[in-house]
Every structure is written in C-alpha cells, then in structure tokens.
Amino acid sequence: MKKILVRGGKPLYGNINISGMKNAALPIIFASILVGDRCVVENLPPVSDVELSLKILETMGATIERLGNNTVAIDTKNFVNGTSPVEMVSKLRGSTYLLGSELGRFGEARVGSSGGCDFGSRPIDQHIKGFSALGAKFESCDTYNYVKAGPGGLFGAPVYLDIASVGATVNVMLAATLAKGKTTIENAAREPHIVDVANFLNMCGARITGAGTSVIKVIGVEELHGCNYTILPDMIEAGTYMAAVAASGGRVSIRGVIPKHMETVTAKLLEMGVDVEIYEDIITVSRYVRPGPANVKTYFYPGFPTDMQPQFSALLSVANGTSVVTESVWESRFQYVEELKKMGADITVEGNRATINGVARLKAADVSATDLRAGAALIIAGLNAEGETKVAGVEKIERGYDDIVGKLKSIGAEVELIEE
Ligand code: EPU
C-alpha cells in the first residue's frame, strides 16, 4: 500500500509553483463536449481526477492529444452521447457535468451515478430543477440518471437555485449554452471556477455574462467552436501550502496565484498572527512564532472555502488557544478528526462544529486520509509533529494535488512516498 511518510519538525523555506485548478479543469473538460470541435486546454493539473475525466471522454469517442505535461487537445467531434462508462463515472463527482453537456448538445443524456468524496448526502435536486426549467424531463434508476429535452429542444428560462451550488450552476450553464433564448440563473455560485468555465465557453462562442456574481445570464447560441484556453491557478492548492507553512514555521513564497482568490485564507492567517505578504501573483507566508487561535466558518465563495476546512483544523490544532470551526456547506466533513486525534489533537465535534484546543506540538502516528482535503490536513499535521507520520489513502490525495510530495520536498520538508 502506498503511504506518504512525513518526518515532522522542520521549518519550510523556498518557493512553490501552483498548478491549475482541479475544480475548474473538470467542468471545462466536460464542457468541451458541447463544443464538438478541437479545444486546446493549458495548465491542466496532472492529478488523477483530471486523468479520469479525460479517460471518460476518450472512452466516449473524443480524441485526446497530449501536447505537453499540462496541455491537452480535446476534440469531441465524434463524441457519442449516452455511452458513459458506469464504473469510471461512479468514481468522480465531476462526471455529473456529463448531464448538462450531453443534454445541451444532443438533447438527452444517460449518465451513471457519480461518486466523489463522501461528505454525507450529495443530492442533485438543484441540477434537476434547472434542467426542468429549460423543459427537460429527468428520470433515475439504480445505476443511471436520464434527462431528455422536450419536443423542439431546450428553451432558456429563469432558474432560481435554492442553494448556490457549484455543480448545479455549472450544469445549468452547460445546458443553457445551446438552448433557444435566454436563461437567467439566480443565486448562482460565485466561485472563481464558475468564472473560468464561463470564460472557456465564451471563448468557444457562448454568450454568458455575470459569472462571478449571483446572477448569470446565458443567451443561447446555435453552435460553438474550438479555442485555446488556460485554466486558473488552484486556490485550494495554494491555501493548503499557506496552511502548511503556518503549521510548520519558516518562510515560503507561493507563486502563480491570484491573491484576490486567497483573501479569506489570507485574512484568517493574519488574524492568527502569521505574516502574509502579497505581491502581484505571489504570496509569501512567514511564521516564526506559534500562531494564535481563530474561529472559522465555511461558506460559499467569497466565504471561507469548505475545501480548506480540514487543513485549517490541522493548523488550529497547534495554535496557542481555543478555536471553533463551523462547517456550513457540507452535511458531514469532520471524518478526519478521529485521525488528527491519533496525533494528539484535542478536538471535540458536535454536529457541524469542532472545538479545537491547540496543543504545543502534535505527535507522529499512522493515519489514513478519509478524503482528498483530509489527506492534505494529515500531511500538514505530520509536518508539525514530532517523529514519523505515515499517511495512508494516498490515492485520495492524488485526486487533487499535483506532486504534493515533490513540492513539499522542494521547500525542505522531509516527506517521501513509500510502499508498505
Ligand atoms: N446541494 C444540494 N443540491 C444540489 C447540489 C448541491 O443540496 O443539487 C448541496 C450539497 O449537498 C452541499 C452544497 O449544496 O451541501 C454545496 O454543493 P455543491 O454543489 O456546491 O458542491 P459540488 O459541486 O458537488 C464542488 C467541488 C467540491 C467543493 C464544493 C463546494 C468539484 C468537482 N467539487 O462540489 O470540491 O467542496 O463544490 O465548494 O468541483 C474538493 O475539491 O475537495 C471538493 C470536495
């Protein structure tokens, strides 16, 4: 079994380059289905969820050409709808985007149930609500979700989302891009990856405005064409390394970021007494004394990202005082706390709140990643801990982090991938 071995206790120094954003790459890969032409996508992070998404498209008839480590040409001219491989689709949450893309281009979609990290129930009622507003009918059975446009295709309409869901916002944009007339998505998600998907589609000829605000307008167009597109930097990867430096000490410049996307994480670190310097596309984090406590409440963007919650809990476990972390996006995202406790963290979870009494230093243990960000949190804890921590569940971490071991080594961390 693959594990990540972390010998903790060394401060980190140097530079880290941030890769493209996984949660923008996935919808853009699936959005390319709508295009029916060749798109060149640059700055794709080489992580397993991206590889799996490309594989799904290839299995369904798309041509995937590797033009470099992070650049891929995707041609979906010969893509065949309704042929998604159930087994692959079941491993990936992003595969729900097949619904919006196939429905938008072919008028119908038949897609296996999607998977992804387990945070309690992950409903798609808001996606369905959007498709229905555009005139489609939805049915599901044990293994498949099936959605079909009415006679005459999809018609633009107002869609009011009850929750500012990232997935539903993307799926409705995808379905509306080639629909007849105007769709307005109210209470849309505002995450930077929503803007990235809209920018990609607009480069292909779509007419989408308002992405990044809570009202997105989509005027349907007849067809799209190929384009060259570069994916945004990953704000969660950047935030993870910021938290790692704050937990381990040292001084690291995180390069190739959009500081605007990092504002909530930056503000929290400053509140904890960690030094953060901001340049045009670089953020330098320095930590020489033990950070103070902070209360964190996750929320939809521009609130504190839920995908940074486990990493911050690891950091707050070594803060000088008591912190409260409240999870307000997912029903259940504290499974990793039991693993952190094995490392000496003093955390009590009640419902969606974790109370964390910081300890001076964590201790090494054998732990297991319960999901992607949980895995990153355990590595952060290991970097602080005394002794050798072994983190199992590496394949979960590899879903979303590009070469986390190599990047941490490059800033002086003692980490390695081992087989046990
Ligand atoms: N929700 C509904 N109904 C829906 C859709 C969502 O009730 O139809 C609820 C969910 O249960 C959840 C909340 O709305 O409580 C937010 O869900 P959202 O749809 O925004 O999440 P998602 O699209 O499934 C993406 C990311 C997640 C990230 C969330 C929130 C991808 C592939 N996944 O998931 O990323 O946590 O947005 O920002 O983009 C990760 O990268 O570690 C990760 C889990």
Side-chain angles (χ1 to χ4, degrees):
M1 184 200 286
K2 272 203 293 190
K3 290 187 177 172
I4 294 177
L5 172 78
V6 188
R7 278 184 207 96
K10 283 191 71 178
L12 308 174
Y13 290 96
N15 298 290
I16 280 200
N17 291 320
I18 294 308
S19 303
M21 185 169 0
K22 172 194 73 108
N23 287 346
L26 302 185
I28 287 174
I29 289 170
F30 287 107
S32 72
I33 294 167
L34 273 181
V35 182
D37 195 0
R38 185 174 185 269
C39 296
V40 175
V41 187
E42 295 178 30
N43 203 28
L44 274 176
V47 297
S48 65
D49 273 9
V50 163
E51 288 305 321
L52 184 57
S53 305
L54 292 171
K55 191 88 201 138
I56 291 173
L57 258 62
E58 200 167 30
T59 310
M60 300 179 77
T63 308
I64 308 292
E65 248 178 288
R66 311 270 164 178
L67 303 179
N69 275 352
N70 307 315
T71 306
V72 168
I74 307 172
D75 191 336
T76 57
K77 213 170 291 143
N78 299 321
F79 179 91
V80 186
N81 69 312
T83 60
S84 58
V86 177
E87 168 76 18
M88 287 190 221
V89 160
S90 70
K91 294 188 177 135
L92 189 72
R93 179 65 183 178
S95 57
T96 45
Y97 297 136
L98 279 167
L99 286 170
S101 283
E102 289 192 20
L103 175 65
R105 175 163 162 203
F106 301 99
E108 63 185 302
R110 190 179 69 120
V111 181
S113 305
S114 66
C117 295
D118 179 11
F119 311 135
S121 71
R122 294 187 75 167
I124 58 164
D125 57 301
Q126 298 304 304
H127 306 229
I128 299 166
K129 181 178 178 181
F131 297 149
S132 307
L134 270 55
K137 290 242 172 326
F138 180 87
E139 273 175 43
S140 80
C141 66
D142 284 352
T143 34
Y144 282 104
N145 289 315
Y146 184 68
V147 61
K148 189 172 172 32
L154 295 173
F155 292 90
V159 176
Y160 184 88
L161 297 178
D162 299 331
I163 297 176
S165 150
V166 169
T169 303
V170 170
N171 249 338
V172 178
M173 275 197 315
L174 294 173
T177 291
L178 296 172
K180 295 181 189 71
K182 177 170 137 188
T183 298
T184 310
I185 310 171
E186 305 262 2
N187 194 27
R190 291 182 281 166
E191 272 72 1
H193 24 302
I194 301 288
V195 181
D196 221 25
V197 179
N199 286 344
F200 165 76
L201 288 169
N202 284 341
M203 291 269 281
C204 296
R207 291 179 64 196
I208 303 174
T209 53
T213 76
S214 47
V215 183
I216 297 179
K217 293 194 175 113
V218 185
I219 313 246
V221 295
E222 295 260 312
E223 60 175 4
L224 300 176
H225 52 76
C227 76
N228 274 39
Y229 194 76
T230 304
I231 307 271
L232 278 178
D234 195 321
M235 62 183 202
I236 304 300
E237 188 197 22
T240 300
Y241 291 117
M242 289 168 78
V245 180
S248 321
R251 177 176 167 84
V252 173
S253 291
I254 292 145
R255 297 176 166 266
V257 294
I258 298 178
K260 174 94 194 132
H261 297 166
M262 307 309 306
E263 277 172 354
T264 39
V265 169
T266 298
K268 241 347 125 185
L269 289 177
L270 290 171
E271 192 182 317
M272 295 169 71
V274 176
D275 191 30
V276 184
E277 297 155 55
I278 297 168
Y279 305 96
E280 199 180 328
D281 63 349
I282 300 175
I283 291 185
T284 302
V285 180
S286 315
R287 194 223 96 174
Y288 301 110
V289 292
R290 190 173 164 201
N295 295 334
V296 170
K297 186 168 186 177
T298 67
Y299 204 61
F300 303 100
Y301 189 86
F304 189 91
T306 174
D307 294 342
M308 282 302 305
Q309 183 259 95
Q311 303 89 313
F312 258 66
S313 293
L315 167 60
L316 293 167
S317 296
V318 293
N320 192 6
T322 300
S323 309
V324 175
V325 174
T326 309
E327 173 59 48
S328 10
V329 176
W330 292 110
E331 188 175 283
S332 144
R333 201 173 191 170
F334 284 123
Q335 291 95 325
Y336 64 89
V337 163
E338 286 310 309
E339 300 300 298
L340 275 184
K341 281 184 173 173
K342 291 181 189 161
M343 301 180 71
D346 178 357
I347 308 180
T348 312
V349 177
E350 275 175 288
N352 68 339
R353 275 160 58 102
T355 304
I356 306 177
N357 296 311
V359 296
R361 191 154 177 208
L362 295 169
K363 56 183 194 317
D366 278 12
V367 287
S368 184
T370 47
D371 62 69
L372 164 62
R373 309 301 171 189
L378 295 171
I379 293 175
I380 291 173
L383 289 169
N384 172 278
E386 192 170 345
E388 283 190 358
T389 294
K390 288 179 192 164
V391 183
V394 174
E395 62 296 338
K396 292 185 177 138
I397 301 169
E398 289 173 342
R399 295 181 70 154
Y401 286 97
D402 171 15
D403 190 21
I404 193 165
V405 168
K407 288 191 185 191
L408 284 171
K409 268 186 176 166
S410 76
I411 51 172
E414 280 197 42
V415 279
E416 56 191 289
L417 200 56
I418 57 164
E419 197 66 51
E420 244 185 13

